[in-house]
Amino acid sequence: MTRDITCHQAVALVSDYLEGALARRDRRRLERHLADCGACSAYLDQMRATIALSGSVGPEDLSNEAVARLVDVFEKYQREKSGESPN
Amino acid sequence: MEDEALLERILGGDHDAFRDLVERYQMSLVRLARYYVKSEASAEDVAQDTWIAVMQGLERFEGRSSFKTWLFRIAANRARKTGTREYRVVTVDPVDPVSSARFNEGGMWNEAPVPFTELINDKLANAGVLEACRNAIRDLPEPQQSVVTLRDVEGLSTREVSDLLELSEANTRVLLHRGRAKIRETLEETLTGGRSWQ
């Protein structure tokens, strides 16, 4: 019996598989299924690519005011600090 | 530029380095804070307080953890103090990451999915895929959004994420799984037009 889990069951294991969090028995079952199933291997590729893409999402456009306000706070803090210790 | 190099410059009073660091992490800080507090405005206040704490504490930061871990810990602590999160206990239902309609009665795919890697490499030039991914993350409900942001966008470990959000590791993984599945679905629609299985 090469396929002891279905595709539907396999996709439910993929995220934990990529996290290295599957119990050994489930990992073996999934790997056996993947070795034999191009469709689920494609799904695994989709999940890997999804995770990689999430990792390359840069910062969203931040409002300039929010950043400028924080930089003002930083400048003020620097001035106060140098005022406290004139070295 | 790595965080550590920016921190060196910030310690020397470099405003631009501070701006770069804020731009790098502000979005994720606000999301983490939003997990604990009720409004976007409160979350932005927590993020601002976090940056002030960073300025004040930077000279004492010894680098025993990564800067990122330190930063998010400060934010989580402040957000917890500010927040009155209504859902202390997060209930997590079993996951069905792909619509049952995609499978036949025997549990096999009706129509095989198409690998993303090549499609993404082709389409990255127009940045539309990244934008779709960013929007999909932003559209996730809490707590999935915080989990995905901290784990997949910021690259913290599942353990760190579960500590920051006060979730069990098992629940963190289920939420991660569900969030990733939704993003995958959005990307599939973006990349293939979602036509092949409709």
Side-chain angles (χ1 to χ4, degrees):
Chain A
M1 184 103 168
T2 51
R3 286 193 176 186
D4 53 0
I5 53 173
T6 66
C7 300
H8 200 169
Q9 291 166 327
V11 298
L13 299 175
V14 163
S15 178
D16 279 0
Y17 176 64
L18 293 173
E19 290 293 289
L22 283 185
R24 192 162 55 180
R25 184 155 165 261
D26 283 340
R27 181 165 54 84
R28 285 204 186 126
R29 285 164 128 185
L30 178 63
E31 285 174 345
R32 213 157 44 223
H33 181 89
L34 288 168
D36 203 25
C37 179
C40 285
S41 298
Y43 181 83
L44 179 69
D45 172 89
Q46 290 188 342
M47 279 302 246
R48 282 205 171 108
T50 298
I51 294 164
L53 206 60
S54 297
S56 59
V57 163
E60 284 174 66
D61 293 335
L62 299 167
S63 86
N64 286 331
E65 298 105 83
V67 178
R69 201 165 56 231
L70 281 162
V71 174
D72 282 348
V73 173
F74 178 71
E75 287 174 357
K76 187 161 170 260
Y77 177 73
Q78 291 293 323
R79 278 198 302 274
E80 282 169 9
K81 207 172 65 166
S82 54
E84 280 166 15
S85 55
N87 311 330
Chain B
M1 188 181 289
E2 297 289 319
D3 287 351
E4 283 65 26
L6 282 178
L7 297 179
E8 283 295 319
R9 287 173 46 195
I10 291 168
L11 281 170
D14 185 333
H15 304 167
D16 291 334
F18 181 73
R19 181 191 305 274
D20 286 352
L21 200 67
V22 169
E23 286 177 346
R24 187 172 295 177
Y25 289 117
Q26 178 75 354
M27 176 195 79
S28 297
L29 283 184
V30 172
R31 281 203 183 134
L32 169 59
R34 192 71 183 81
Y35 173 78
Y36 284 105
V37 304
K38 278 183 174 171
S39 72
E40 196 69 19
S42 304
E44 283 171 14
D45 287 346
V46 167
Q48 175 159 333
D49 289 350
T50 301
W51 287 115
I52 292 169
V54 166
M55 285 174 214
Q56 292 168 343
L58 197 53
E59 286 173 6
R60 297 189 302 278
F61 172 62
E62 291 170 349
R64 264 180 275 177
S65 60
S66 71
F67 169 74
K68 192 187 285 196
T69 300
W70 183 63
L71 175 72
F72 285 120
R73 267 196 216 131
I74 294 172
N77 286 337
R78 292 193 166 249
R80 275 186 210 115
K81 279 183 201 153
T82 310
T84 47
R85 185 155 61 98
E86 284 158 345
Y87 48 101
R88 274 277 145 195
V89 179
V90 176
T91 52
V92 178
D93 305 324
V95 183
D96 204 359
V98 180
S99 161
S100 301
R102 299 283 302 272
F103 302 95
N104 65 22
E105 284 176 8
M108 303 201 21
W109 293 93
N110 288 323
E111 185 101 32
V114 181
F116 281 171
T117 308
E118 284 182 25
L119 294 172
I120 286 175
N121 289 342
D122 284 348
K123 290 211 175 185
L124 258 189
N126 64 23
V129 185
L130 258 186
E131 190 58 30
C133 185
R134 184 180 291 133
N135 290 340
I137 295 170
R138 199 169 45 206
D139 290 344
L140 290 176
E142 288 293 0
Q144 290 171 31
Q145 187 176 139
S146 290
V147 170
V148 169
T149 299
L150 295 172
R151 176 73 186 103
D152 288 344
V153 179
E154 295 297 350
L156 300 181
S157 69
T158 306
R159 177 73 176 275
E160 287 174 316
V161 176
S162 62
D163 285 347
L164 288 170
L165 301 180
E166 297 184 328
L167 297 166
S168 70
E169 284 190 52
N171 276 359
T172 301
R173 279 196 295 271
V174 173
L175 292 162
L176 184 64
H177 185 183
R178 196 174 299 166
R180 284 171 173 175
K182 283 190 193 150
I183 301 166
R184 185 209 67 83
E185 204 176 336
T186 303
L187 293 177
E188 189 172 54
E189 282 165 20
T190 306
L191 288 163
T192 68
R195 281 183 300 274
S196 59
W197 53 89
Q198 282 174 355

